[in-house]
Amino acid sequence: MSPSVGMASGALAGLRVVDHTEMRGALCGRILGDLGADVIRVPPVPDPDDLAHAHRNANKAAGDLAELEALMSAADLLIDNTGLDLEEVADRNPSLVVVALTDMGLTGPRSDWKLEPLPAFASSGGHFLSGFREKSPCWHPGYLAHDCASVFGALGGLAAVMDRRRHGQGQVVEISVQEAALSGLNPWSVLIPDYVRHFPELPDEGRRNADGNYWIFPARDGWVRTVIGTPYQWTGFVEVLGNPNALTGPEWADGVFRGRNRDVIHVVADEITSQRDRTDLFEHGLAAGTTIGVIQSPSEFVAHPQVAGRGFFRYDVDGSEGLAMPDAPWKLSGTPAGVRKSAPREKDKRVQFNARPADNPWAPGPSNGPADNGQLLAGVRVVEFGMAAVVPEGTWMLSELGADVIKVESVVHPDSLRFAGRGDLNKAFPFNAESRGRRSVGLDMTTERGRELALELFMAADVVAENLRGGSLDKLGLGWDDMSSKRPDLVYVCSQGYGRGGPMGKMPAYGPLNASFAGAHWLWNHADVPFPCGTTLNHPDHIAGKLLAVAVLAALDHKQRTGQGQLIDMAQTEAAAYLIGEVYMGAVADGADPEPKGNRSDTVAPHDVYRAGGDDDWVALACHDDESWQRCCEVIGVENRWPTNADRLAEMAAVDAAVAAWMAEGLADERAERLQVAGVSAMSVMGPYDHLGDQHLAIRGALDVLEHPVVGKETHVGNPIRFSLTATRTAGPSPLLGADTVEVLGEVLGISPDEVEALAEAGVCR
């Protein structure tokens, strides 16, 4: 008889998960394990003995494939990306929640397509946007598209198990990797075309343009990056440069003008920044109120005092043998999360689940059928002090599950994304992409009464979520220390770019700066380019928000069961690092950083992006075994002179020439389809208009079309989590600034409309 796995600590203690995935889906179980779930891994094929396995399968025990049925019968949750017969699984295990991680969904014309990591990234829109225009689109190495699906899978699976308490029923939670990656990497892409009628200068085609408007400048010891969104940030940047006359005219206050004259900015700034160190530029930017980020290599990230001080890398994990193990991406004060043990090895004993304790909180509720119990988070109030993307994206997920999300907005310092409206704060596409599904309360937080109203809203919340500049709410008496003493049952969520505390804790940061600091941009690049970054994606913002939502949902469930609130702290830089944890482990173990390779792989060939016959038309191709390469040769009509992977790696130029010649003879969609029909993993590198016109996404209802009160028609990326039972809602358009002040202050605080009007006349609210 197999030994039993013991119960871990954490918010998900006692939740029993069977992980039946190969490496592309392994992060899903790691996320749940980091939050305390008992995860038994039953890989469908033997796990490789490599660093990806060590990182993605930490916090899991080893299970026997022969005992999969017994494990499922004792589990709460099954994660699968191998195509198990879900009807059969459900018939045998009616209370089991099954998270089905699928490359392109269970339905639709392309549901049988297989996407290896490179073609999966090509399907997301992020590939088309990344790189230098004169080169092929450049991917983010690793499993990023599949990792997005893993994050949504953890969130959806947890929600379904929570919902099971109400009706006793299991269900299937379906995640399409393509849709998850589109939401987690590039959700603005399909929205921008709807805004071109208002702002013709917008880059609606979504083509790559290197650093774009997130400029990269040389420093004496490397490179720095900027994100300039507000007039205040531009003024601070010019101050860092010493206020050169060439950049101080009033026309420079306009972001479009700056974008059109980026060459002038570089002529002036490059000479100045190249004479200063990265740290000096960062600190001067912090003092001047502008956002300058440091581009680092992976090993620099590991060694940085901010990262070391927060203890993100662990060297003492049971069985890790001194590896630099990335910890959980969040810190939870009441139910600690983290890596506790190393990944299972072939020699480890196989385990079974222990008997379910009588007081186990994850047991199914009474089986009363799929009656309509309303949305899971109906009645939960979330007060958000969110800025830009990460917290707003996390609360969007809670809103879709039924939570009432109230966005408290400063009328003096509006959300930086609203400035993209060029004078109309309600017409900014980034804000309207990020802040769907909530009500807006506009307050002047510089007034005593404004701060009092904010405190009263906080006191009426189940969850408070903020990602303002570190320490901003503490100064107003609204920080965690003050609120926890008043409301010990409050779930308080903080997500700063570099995390709370430390030498960089008060520096604002945006996605491109966080990815640069974490070393992601060091790798996300071709080898022969002028500077180490080739993407304008706001990574990790979009997927970090959903990763944050997993921890919030776990903490909220723990609060509802125990009455205990807690602080959740997530550094966005650490969220980016969590998705490529094996890179840091390798850099530390080898004593050297990996070099960027574009779309190449050291272990797989062919593995690249090839030009097809249309304009900026590309196909991503990855043959991960000799059989798929043989099928590829049959499709493209060449003799297989390189039958083994070693042969192909040794003669990549000849292999590339054969593939490239065939690709150029047709359009990308047609070439990819012919390869997929033959069982070869290939995908056209998709841009916004490809997604908007895609029949597969349309049939699956992957995009939400809404009517914004000012902008009109808007197309958004929808929620990629498909529940077979749990009720969700489609979040409505983003609110106008202060649109719901009267309603919320009346409903939540009991303030009459006349009183609110008087407050507005006094400048306290809007």
Side-chain angles (χ1 to χ4, degrees):
M1 182 175 178
S2 299
S4 297
V5 63
M7 187 180 295
S9 61
L12 303 187
L15 179 68
R16 300 183 296 189
V17 179
V18 175
D19 181 344
H20 185 248
T21 66
E22 33 84 21
M23 200 60 62
R24 298 178 305 151
L27 191 70
C28 187
R30 163 78 199 259
I31 293 168
L32 297 173
D34 283 355
L35 287 165
D38 297 324
V39 184
I40 296 180
R41 178 160 179 79
V42 185
V45 294
D47 280 323
D49 184 18
D50 62 13
L51 294 178
H53 166 64
H55 169 57
R56 293 162 187 277
N57 289 318
N59 276 347
K60 302 176 188 178
D64 192 332
L65 186 60
E67 297 188 21
L68 180 59
E69 285 292 339
L71 286 166
M72 288 192 295
S73 67
D76 301 299
L77 178 64
L78 167 71
I79 309 166
D80 177 67
N81 71 345
T82 69
L84 288 176
D85 186 328
L86 300 183
E87 288 188 10
E88 182 180 339
V89 170
D91 287 344
R92 294 183 179 180
N93 306 278
S95 66
L96 182 67
V97 171
V98 180
V99 173
L101 303 178
T102 68
D103 287 341
M104 299 198 77
L106 294 172
T107 60
R110 296 176 182 154
S111 60
D112 60 343
W113 284 30
K114 180 174 181 179
L115 299 179
E116 295 291 354
L118 178 67
F121 191 72
S123 78
S124 73
H127 208 162
F128 191 69
L129 184 62
S130 299
F132 289 77
R133 184 61 185 274
E134 62 273 17
K135 290 188 168 292
S136 62
C138 187
W139 87 313
H140 179 293
Y143 300 85
L144 187 54
H146 290 89
D147 287 345
C148 289
S150 288
V151 172
F152 281 107
L155 182 62
L158 177 54
V161 175
M162 291 168 60
D163 196 30
R164 188 180 64 166
R165 292 200 197 103
R166 305 193 297 179
H167 50 66
Q169 298 292 301
Q171 61 178 300
V172 174
V173 181
E174 175 204 343
I175 312 293
S176 155
V177 170
Q178 180 188 29
E179 294 165 24
L182 180 56
S183 177
L185 298 175
N186 198 19
W188 298 357
S189 60
V190 299
L191 177 63
I192 291 176
D194 289 329
Y195 277 72
V196 171
R197 64 184 182 271
H198 302 285
F199 306 108
E201 70 279 357
L202 287 175
D204 59 304
E205 293 183 336
R207 298 176 189 265
R208 59 203 176 280
N209 59 354
D211 58 341
N213 289 330
Y214 303 149
W215 309 308
I216 292 176
F217 299 103
R220 186 160 47 198
D221 59 344
W223 301 86
V224 296
R225 188 162 203 174
T226 61
V227 176
I228 308 296
T230 68
Y232 179 72
Q233 290 167 344
W234 170 252
T235 300
F237 176 68
V238 175
E239 179 185 324
V240 170
L241 299 179
N243 295 306
N245 291 333
L247 302 179
T248 54
E251 65 276 9
W252 289 101
D254 179 59
V256 173
F257 180 85
R258 295 195 297 270
R260 291 171 177 165
N261 291 277
R262 62 193 300 270
D263 55 339
V264 177
I265 295 172
H266 273 288
V267 166
V268 175
D270 286 5
E271 183 177 355
I272 298 169
T273 60
S274 63
Q275 304 305 309
R276 300 170 65 180
D277 292 338
R278 291 174 296 175
T279 301
D280 174 41
L281 290 165
F282 177 92
E283 292 177 349
H284 195 166
L286 176 60
T290 194
T291 43
I292 295 177
V294 174
I295 297 179
Q296 299 192 119
S297 70
S299 61
E300 285 180 317
F301 177 73
V302 174
H304 196 280
Q306 179 73 14
V307 179
R310 286 177 54 82
F312 178 63
F313 289 98
R314 298 271 305 279
Y315 299 86
D316 59 347
V317 177
D318 177 37
S320 66
E321 300 174 352
L323 289 173
M325 292 284 291
D327 209 351
W330 347 258
K331 299 180 185 297
L332 282 73
S333 65
T335 55
V339 59
R340 304 177 304 279
K341 60 185 178 182
S342 60
R345 293 160 293 189
E346 189 63 31
K347 64 182 181 180
D348 290 348
K349 290 183 179 179
R350 291 341 188 214
V351 300
Q352 266 284 0
F353 287 116
N354 52 12
R356 188 189 295 275
D359 60 348
N360 187 287
W362 300 103
S367 183
N368 50 22
D372 182 8
N373 291 286
Q375 290 159 336
L376 178 66
L377 299 186
V380 172
R381 180 175 294 134
V382 179
V383 174
E384 174 210 299
F385 244 99
M387 183 74 72
V390 175
V391 158
E393 291 237 14
T395 56
W396 169 60
M397 298 307 302
L398 303 181
S399 175
E400 292 245 339
L401 288 168
D404 176 22
V405 181
I406 298 169
K407 185 178 183 70
V408 178
E409 298 198 67
S410 169
V411 298
V412 177
H413 300 293
D415 191 313
S416 59
L417 295 186
R418 284 195 180 273
F419 287 94
R422 300 194 68 195
D424 188 336
L425 297 178
N426 295 313
K427 226 175 196 178
F429 81 84
F431 179 88
N432 292 340
E434 296 304 314
S435 292
R436 291 173 52 201
R438 66 211 66 200
R439 299 189 283 176
S440 171
V441 174
L443 297 177
D444 183 351
M445 301 295 291
T446 67
T447 67
E448 183 178 356
R449 184 57 178 145
R451 294 190 293 274
E452 290 174 352
L453 291 171
L455 175 60
E456 292 175 37
L457 288 172
F458 277 28
M459 292 292 289
D462 298 290
V463 178
V464 167
E466 65 93 7
N467 62 332
L468 303 182
R469 178 172 176 165
S472 297
L473 291 184
D474 297 282
K475 294 177 182 177
L476 301 177
L478 299 171
W480 161 248
D481 290 339
D482 289 308
M483 291 307 305
S484 61
S485 64
K486 298 181 176 72
R487 282 281 313 280
D489 64 333
L490 183 65
V491 174
Y492 196 105
V493 184
C494 297
S495 180
Q496 279 64 49
Y498 304 102
R500 286 168 60 88
M504 302 175 76
K506 293 186 178 181
M507 180 60 157
Y510 300 93
L513 307 186
N514 295 326
S516 293
F517 183 79
H521 287 163
W522 177 272
L523 298 171
W524 194 343
N525 217 5
H526 288 288
D528 53 345
V529 290
F531 51 83
C533 177
T535 185
T536 53
L537 282 176
N538 290 282
H539 181 70
D541 284 359
H542 305 299
I543 193 59
K546 285 86 173 188
L547 189 59
L548 181 62
V550 182
V552 176
L553 195 62
L556 183 58
D557 180 76
H558 180 78
K559 161 196 162 72
Q560 291 171 335
R561 289 187 281 111
T562 67
Q564 177 188 12
Q566 58 185 307
L567 172 68
I568 301 174
D569 165 23
M570 185 186 80
Q572 294 153 28
T573 54
E574 293 168 11
Y578 187 69
L579 302 174
I580 51 171
E582 57 267 30
V583 170
Y584 309 98
M585 298 167 73
V588 172
D590 297 341
D593 286 303
E595 293 298 324
K597 300 179 180 67
N599 299 300
R600 297 283 198 184
S601 166
D602 287 337
T603 58
V604 174
H607 187 282
D608 212 335
V609 171
Y610 299 89
R611 186 184 291 275
D615 173 42
D616 206 15
D617 200 26
W618 303 85
V619 179
L621 170 67
C623 293
H624 278 245
D625 54 51
D626 296 338
E627 291 75 19
S628 67
W629 168 246
Q630 175 60 41
R631 293 191 293 270
C632 181
C633 288
E634 293 168 3
V635 173
I636 68 177
V638 301
E639 179 187 355
N640 186 1
R641 294 184 286 118
W642 314 279
T644 71
N645 197 56
D647 294 333
R648 297 190 294 278
L649 288 170
E651 298 189 50
M652 271 310 306
V655 172
D656 276 342
V659 173
W662 181 81
M663 291 290 190
E665 293 175 354
L667 297 180
D669 284 345
E670 179 266 337
R671 303 278 99 167
E673 184 168 6
R674 287 184 61 180
L675 289 163
Q676 284 282 357
V677 167
V680 180
S681 185
M683 190 73 201
S684 60
V685 180
M686 300 181 75
Y689 286 101
D690 298 312
H691 289 127
L692 288 167
D694 187 72
Q695 182 185 18
H696 178 77
L697 293 176
I699 289 173
R700 288 182 51 78
L703 305 179
D704 295 336
V705 179
L706 306 176
E707 189 72 18
H708 187 274
V710 171
V711 178
K713 171 183 168 290
E714 289 184 328
T715 305
H716 294 269
V717 176
N719 183 352
I721 304 175
R722 310 290 180 88
F723 297 97
S724 63
L725 188 59
T726 296
T728 61
R729 64 185 179 193
T730 298
S734 292
L736 308 184
L737 178 58
D740 308 291
T741 302
V742 174
E743 178 183 77
V744 171
L745 294 187
E747 175 187 315
V748 179
L749 303 184
I751 301 175
S752 71
D754 289 343
E755 291 177 282
V756 176
E757 183 178 351
L759 290 170
E761 290 177 355
V764 172
C765 65
R766 171 174 173 175

